Amino acid sequence: MTSTETAGQPGNDSESPVRREETDRDAAPQFVLPLVARIERAEPPARTDALETAARAVLVLLSDERAAGDGEWAAAVRDWQDARIRKVVRRARGAEWRRAGALPGITVTGHRAEVRVFPPVPLDGWPKDLARLQVSGTELDDPQLPGAPAEGAPVLWLNPELEMSAGKEMAQAGHAAQLAWWELSEEERAAWRAAGFPLSVRSARGADWEDLTRSGLPVVRDAGFTEIAPGSCTVVADHPALRRALPGNR
């Protein structure tokens, strides 16, 4: 199992970087955003908790002052976003997790989940302590079905017709959060950040999925590198501010 994916641009299939045809994004140097989930054998996190924590981790990095302007991570973030928006989820436990924690990055915690996000690295230039981590072993379950999403908070809706590993879904949720972030105004971003980036990840009802993908909200279309077919719609980012901006809601 691998969780290297690419985020698409919302509402513009012709320019979407997820298409497998060669584009300017393919010609650019390729970078990847590493995400490491802490998965201890005795106490693994719940699946939904891990998905939500991974999505928030992406937002925390994007909003960090080190990722903007002249910040120490800004050049790497710009290079990453100029190419295909790849994310890779790996898992760590015990000493592996401690070594990962010593590298520059940010650890984000959920209810019990912990995910550390790192500034983008070249596709073939991972730090040694991250490169040795396993991509497999990120299979997680929800001991109990997650409840209804928090009212008024963003929801990242998963395609109910696709079966994806937990690691892949973590990457996809991160893509969806990033697409929402790109679409928000500076004021809306600041408000979301100040609130601690509340969000829920839920599987959409089958009857609602097609409407969601056609609503005008940001849609992640998979690059097809792993697990599912190229162009598959995987997640819709349903942020209240973006929904209010849709035609008919203004």
Side-chain angles (χ1 to χ4, degrees):
M1 184 276 292
T2 177
S3 303
T4 307
E5 308 302 338
T6 307
Q9 301 288 355
N12 190 344
D13 291 351
S14 64
E15 296 181 6
S16 170
V18 304
R19 290 188 175 272
R20 293 304 300 271
E21 297 88 18
E22 284 290 315
T23 68
D24 289 343
R25 288 176 176 263
D26 293 290
Q30 298 296 302
F31 287 75
V32 62
L33 186 78
L35 293 142
V36 175
R38 184 179 185 182
I39 303 179
E40 302 288 349
R41 287 190 179 90
E43 296 183 296
R47 187 183 184 106
T48 296
D49 188 14
L51 300 183
E52 293 173 348
T53 305
R56 282 197 299 273
V58 172
L59 294 167
V60 168
L61 181 128
L62 291 172
S63 65
D64 193 281
E65 61 184 11
R66 291 168 288 185
D70 296 324
E72 60 186 290
W73 299 343
V77 170
R78 285 193 297 269
D79 288 343
W80 168 59
Q81 294 189 127
D82 284 344
R84 288 183 178 266
I85 312 301
R86 298 171 184 254
K87 298 178 181 72
V88 171
V89 177
R90 299 193 177 196
R91 55 95 173 158
R93 58 174 62 102
E96 296 172 331
W97 176 254
R98 292 190 292 274
R99 285 193 294 269
L103 297 174
I106 306 168
T107 297
V108 177
T109 59
H111 295 292
R112 292 180 61 181
E114 294 180 73
V115 175
R116 188 163 179 84
V117 61
F118 302 86
V121 298
L123 193 59
D124 57 356
W126 283 64
K128 180 177 64 176
D129 283 334
L130 298 184
R132 64 176 51 155
L133 297 177
Q134 296 296 310
V135 178
S136 61
T138 55
E139 289 313 306
L140 301 169
D141 296 308
D142 280 315
Q144 298 179 332
L145 289 177
E151 188 173 352
V155 184
L156 309 180
W157 294 107
L158 297 169
N159 185 339
E161 299 173 358
L162 293 178
E163 290 188 11
M164 294 182 280
S165 62
K168 186 176 182 70
E169 283 190 346
M170 290 170 71
Q172 297 292 312
H175 292 334
Q178 185 169 0
L179 292 184
W181 178 259
W182 281 348
E183 291 293 293
L184 294 172
S185 68
E186 290 299 324
E187 182 179 1
E188 290 162 345
R189 290 179 179 182
W192 199 10
R193 181 184 184 185
F197 292 122
L199 59 85
S200 298
V201 178
R202 296 290 188 273
S203 182
R205 294 188 302 178
D208 296 335
W209 177 247
E210 187 172 349
D211 289 341
L212 283 166
T213 61
R214 296 182 177 184
S215 65
L217 293 167
V219 180
V220 179
R221 300 180 187 276
D222 190 72
F225 293 118
T226 64
E227 297 194 28
I228 57 178
S232 299
C233 298
T234 57
V235 193
V236 173
D238 190 354
H239 191 292
L242 300 183
R243 183 169 285 278
R244 287 194 295 270
L246 294 176
N249 293 341
R250 297 171 182 170

